[in-house]
Amino acid sequence: MRLKLPIAQFLKAQRRWGKTLVKASTASRKLISKPRKTRPKKSKLTEISAFGSNPGNLRMLTYVPPQLPDSAPLVVVLHGCLQTAHAYDEGSGWSMLAKRHGFALIYAEQSQANNPNRCFNWFQPHDARRGSGEALSIRQMVTRMRRTHSIDPARIFITGLSAGGAMVSVMLATYPEVFAGGGIIAGLPYGAASGMRQVMPAMKRPQPRSAKQWGDLVRSASSYTGLRPTVSIWHGTEDRTVAASNAAALLSQWTNVHGVSEEVFSQTSVAGHRRRAWSNRKGDTVISLYLIDGMGHGTPVRRTKAQTKTGGAGPFMLDAGISSSLHLAKSWGLVRRKAASRRT
């Protein structure tokens, strides 16, 4: 294991983190009705076992819709702690969107061998650095997908929840040339922690850094000097697991990276929730922030009829009346007009 802490301290910190997440999971279930007993659904995802050296020891699962069009977009999805790729897909609806609108998916999945709570190790320097660990494994998955399918290299996106959201921050910082945009849901800024001991404090309150200091962390993660990925930040105002102050730190980090003023933005209401947007000199939206009033820790979804019949969307999938997956797909230009009006 790649750890500097004594094993006893590491396990103690892991148990504390696990208890916090279990409490959040219990709270999230209160927002959805008790599920009925149903047969387990067959996963729509297909595992790819050979995709590179895989130094982070992650699983690669994919969804490729029938008759994938040429130069199709690709979305990488990273689940949260205590979750699996299948569970996150069922709750978030990404494969349904991919089938309807013609794009491919990669799900990276964490194992308990890597992390007892199935959290991506965004806080371990080896896993959060370009060219090594889990970050390189995810990069290799993208390379494998491009080699086997007709993927448009200019339309590759990434999104994730909680530890998965923090890992999105890692990927946008360390491989900015790969991704056109990212969606960070209840996540943390890049560089928020550099070791297990710093994780819990960072989740509760990010370190006091200036916008430039946050931005410098991203700029130092690679030698890339080109256009940076767009960033969409989603956070519940009542998140007790990853404090909403992390959304503010993310905003400071990425406004600085994009060279836009944090004070100049437009604000609209989407499905009753606040959306703020920051644009560059060309007028293109480079950063958006969705603050979901009253929501705790999880991915905001709009519960479908099918989910209503089975009782809900699952732990950490919170029915907020707005589908973050759909709105991310729309903002990335993935939703085809003929199907845009259909509810998801």
Side-chain angles (χ1 to χ4, degrees):
M1 298 180 70
R2 301 181 296 273
L3 300 171
K4 294 183 179 180
L5 282 177
I7 188 66
Q9 291 185 36
F10 172 74
L11 292 175
K12 182 178 179 181
Q14 284 283 11
R15 285 194 294 270
R16 286 179 59 206
W17 195 2
K19 288 178 181 178
T20 300
L21 290 164
V22 168
K23 288 180 182 179
S25 177
T26 302
S28 75
R29 290 191 183 98
K30 294 180 181 179
L31 299 181
I32 55 180
S33 57
K34 187 177 180 180
R36 301 173 184 173
K37 292 183 179 180
T38 57
R39 292 181 180 179
K41 294 182 179 179
K42 183 179 179 181
S43 178
K44 302 173 186 176
L45 308 180
T46 300
E47 183 167 5
I48 305 297
S49 57
F51 57 88
S53 60
N54 189 18
N57 192 32
L58 302 177
R59 292 179 70 198
M60 175 184 178
L61 298 101
T62 66
Y63 176 77
V64 179
Q67 300 178 338
L68 183 72
D70 291 338
S71 298
L74 171 66
V75 178
V76 180
V77 186
L78 306 178
H79 62 79
C81 299
L82 306 177
Q83 291 182 318
T84 64
H86 170 71
Y88 195 82
D89 183 61
E90 284 296 314
S92 64
W94 271 110
S95 61
M96 182 173 61
L97 288 168
K99 181 178 181 180
R100 183 176 298 171
H101 300 289
F103 58 89
L105 295 174
I106 292 174
Y107 275 90
E109 186 175 270
Q110 184 62 284
S111 68
Q112 288 184 311
N114 281 355
N115 186 294
N117 294 314
R118 289 185 176 271
C119 307
F120 288 99
N121 290 309
W122 56 272
F123 50 87
Q124 296 289 9
H126 179 78
D127 289 305
R129 185 168 61 237
R130 183 183 177 100
S132 68
E134 293 176 11
L136 180 55
S137 289
I138 295 170
R139 174 66 178 94
Q140 290 175 344
M141 294 179 195
V142 174
T143 300
R144 173 67 160 78
M145 202 68 167
R146 286 190 57 190
R147 287 175 178 171
T148 54
H149 297 281
S150 179
I151 300 299
D152 183 350
R155 293 196 294 167
I156 300 175
F157 306 91
I158 185 168
T159 183
L161 164 68
S162 190
M167 200 67 193
V168 170
S169 293
V170 169
M171 298 308 296
L172 295 179
T174 58
Y175 291 101
E177 76 280 9
V178 174
F179 301 101
I184 303 171
I185 304 172
L188 298 93
Y190 178 70
S194 58
M196 189 66 201
R197 186 175 290 144
Q198 298 178 9
V199 170
M200 293 299 292
M203 290 167 64
K204 297 304 179 185
R205 179 182 296 177
Q207 295 184 40
R209 291 187 173 112
S210 67
K212 184 179 182 302
Q213 288 173 324
W214 281 118
D216 285 344
L217 290 172
V218 172
R219 285 183 286 268
S220 65
S222 75
S223 59
Y224 181 74
T225 58
L227 293 175
R228 294 284 175 169
T230 63
V231 179
S232 184
I233 304 165
W234 295 70
H235 220 110
T237 60
E238 298 301 318
D239 193 330
R240 298 290 183 258
T241 303
V242 178
S245 53
N246 279 285
L250 274 164
L251 180 62
S252 292
Q253 184 167 68
W254 286 99
T255 51
N256 183 264
V257 169
H258 277 282
V260 298
S261 172
E262 191 173 337
E263 309 301 321
V264 181
F265 58 87
S266 61
Q267 180 166 305
T268 56
S269 177
V270 180
H273 301 290
R274 286 173 289 168
R275 176 187 183 270
R276 294 176 179 175
W278 286 258
S279 301
N280 60 18
R281 294 179 180 179
K282 295 180 180 179
D284 300 323
T285 298
V286 291
I287 302 166
S288 60
L289 170 65
Y290 288 80
L291 293 173
I292 311 301
D293 287 322
M295 192 183 81
H297 186 66
T299 294
V301 300
R302 184 167 57 76
R303 192 164 55 184
T304 65
K305 291 181 180 179
Q307 289 168 339
T308 300
K309 290 180 180 179
T310 58
F316 301 112
M317 296 292 171
L318 307 185
D319 185 3
I322 181 172
S323 170
S324 54
S325 302
L326 177 60
H327 283 275
L328 284 171
K330 284 183 176 179
S331 70
W332 295 334
L334 307 184
V335 175
R336 294 183 294 201
R337 290 185 179 182
K338 290 183 179 179
S341 62
R342 296 172 66 178
R343 295 175 67 85
T344 189

